[in-house]
Amino acid sequence: MTAPTTSAGFDAAYRAPLTLWGDIRVPREVKAIADRLADGKVLELGCGLGRFSQYLAERGLDSTGVDFSPVAIDKASARVAGKARRANFMVADVTNLHVPGGPFDAAFDIGCFHCLDAEGQAAYAAGAASVLKPGATLLIWGMETAPSDQPFTPDAAEAIFEGHFRLVRSAPSRRRFARSYWLWLERL
Ligand SMILES: C[S@@+](CC[C@H](N)C(=O)[O-])C[C@H]1O[C@@H](n2cnc3c(N)ncnc32)[C@H](O)[C@@H]1O
């Protein structure tokens, strides 16, 4: 099965009880966001079922998760209802980002950016910059052989984010058993 590319395709995937990318363990790189920010506002791009935003809300951050799949956002909202008051989910397209509640102190993305084509990635970089505070960190995890036709590497990302973010650090990863990277970008 190939990964979906459209909102409708992801909706169909999220109607199933399990998704292909169902690694629900909170990555230590995401936990580190809560270790670093005592409080503040965090944005998750392509949040899916919202488990990581829920985790950060439970750690005391105001967390907003966005995704273009209404099915995922409904499921994320239903799961936190009455539990994680500081988690908030909304439908939004990361290639045309409009999200209230900013500017944010940090943002993160586990497996959304690598779904986008070149045009979408350029729009994502500008949109993420528009909602983050200067100096804020954008953490991205993506697979080197991405679901889109765009390779995801530190060099490729550095070129796409140029003018909006600077690449501060990268680390290879085997999350989901795939050759992949964590990138830490700083909003200029
Ligand atoms: C591989 S899933 C990862 C979901 C979640 N981050 C996780 O790790 O469980 C990629 C997510 O990105 C979302 N996505 C893809 N393209 C998007 C876009 N243009 N705007 C918003 N969300 C998008 C999908 O709906 C999906 O939820």
Side-chain angles (χ1 to χ4, degrees):
M1 179 185 170
T2 53
T5 53
T6 61
S7 164
F10 275 104
D11 271 350
Y14 282 119
R15 282 194 191 97
L18 289 175
T19 58
L20 271 179
W21 49 91
D23 188 344
I24 62 172
R25 294 168 300 171
V26 182
R28 65 171 185 272
E29 291 79 1
V30 171
K31 291 181 179 171
I33 295 173
D35 295 341
R36 194 165 39 82
L37 293 177
D39 58 18
K41 297 195 271 188
V42 179
L43 176 65
E44 181 177 6
L45 298 160
C47 64
L49 300 175
R51 290 192 176 87
F52 308 141
S53 285
Q54 177 179 0
Y55 168 83
L56 291 178
E58 287 168 352
R59 291 278 313 264
L61 299 176
D62 288 317
S63 62
T64 299
V66 299
D67 200 289
F68 73 173
S69 162
V71 172
I73 291 299
D74 282 353
K75 286 190 168 185
S77 302
R79 215 189 45 256
V80 299
K83 283 192 265 175
R85 216 171 25 86
R86 300 179 83 155
N88 167 28
F89 296 102
M90 61 190 71
V91 175
D93 186 335
V94 298
T95 66
N96 183 20
L97 193 59
H98 296 286
V99 54
F104 293 88
D105 298 291
F108 69 102
D109 170 339
I110 317 289
C112 174
F113 179 82
H114 72 183
C115 296
L116 306 175
D117 63 16
E119 196 184 334
Q121 291 186 349
Y124 173 116
S130 74
V131 298
L132 282 168
K133 293 180 182 169
T137 297
L138 168 60
L139 168 71
I140 303 182
W141 174 86
M143 294 192 294
E144 190 175 271
T145 304
S148 73
D149 56 353
Q150 299 300 305
F152 181 77
T153 63
D155 285 349
E158 197 163 25
I160 288 155
F161 283 94
E162 191 180 4
H164 300 292
F165 290 85
R166 122 186 133 85
L167 179 64
V168 176
R169 187 154 72 95
S170 65
S173 159
R174 294 295 298 176
R175 184 177 169 76
R176 292 190 208 149
F177 306 107
R179 281 175 60 95
S180 52
Y181 293 96
W182 288 100
L183 305 182
W184 289 262
L185 296 140
E186 182 184 85
R187 159 81 159 86
L188 298 176

